[in-house]
Amino acid sequence: QVQLVESGGALVQAGGSLRLPCEASGTIFSINAMGWYRQAPGNQRELVAQITTAGSTTYADSVKDRFTISRDNAKNTVFLQMNSLKPEDTAVYYCAAEVKVRRFSTPDDYWGQGTQVTVSS
């Protein structure tokens, strides 16, 4: 079994910053891509940022130049640094990872339980 646990969600004023960590644990041989998604009420879940094992990153246009994704491969942890937060960033933020549990197994996607980020105007 693989578990992903996010933390760091909070209520913050517009213009503020938050850092969300997410740690993967359990039976893990390797982790390919890791990413952050978010879902606001009434909206579909959307990709916020993604990072490969080698460190290549992808961002949603709405967060470019404000958010930074990074990872610590030794600790199976991915981070999302969020700066210049806006009320429209309010959502539940989910961590995801593509994990191989054994050397020759097919990678599967795993999700965290989500952490609430609320940005007040």
Side-chain angles (χ1 to χ4, degrees):
Q1 291 286 358
V2 176
Q3 299 84 38
L4 271 65
V5 179
E6 308 101 331
S7 61
L11 171 63
V12 63
Q13 288 190 331
S17 298
L18 282 176
R19 188 175 190 239
L20 306 182
C22 171
E23 181 179 7
S25 62
T27 305
I28 297 172
F29 175 78
S30 64
I31 302 178
N32 297 337
M34 302 185 80
W36 287 94
Y37 293 73
R38 66 186 181 187
Q39 187 168 19
N43 291 355
Q44 290 186 331
R45 190 173 297 188
E46 63 175 358
L47 174 67
V48 176
Q50 189 175 51
I51 185 168
T52 67
T53 306
S56 296
T57 57
T58 303
Y59 294 94
D61 288 342
S62 59
V63 307
K64 280 181 181 177
D65 300 324
R66 297 189 299 123
F67 291 10
T68 302
I69 189 170
S70 61
R71 64 190 284 176
D72 183 334
N73 291 329
K75 296 182 179 179
N76 293 332
T77 300
V78 63
F79 303 93
L80 186 66
Q81 177 67 43
M82 304 186 293
N83 299 328
S84 302
L85 282 161
K86 304 175 180 179
E88 51 263 45
D89 294 318
T90 296
V92 177
Y93 283 71
Y94 297 91
C95 170
E98 188 180 37
V99 180
K100 292 180 66 174
V101 297
R102 289 179 295 278
R103 181 175 182 180
F104 298 109
S105 64
T106 301
D108 286 320
D109 293 332
Y110 293 86
W111 293 83
Q113 80 289 350
T115 186
Q116 177 70 48
V117 172
T118 303
V119 184
S120 63
S121 57

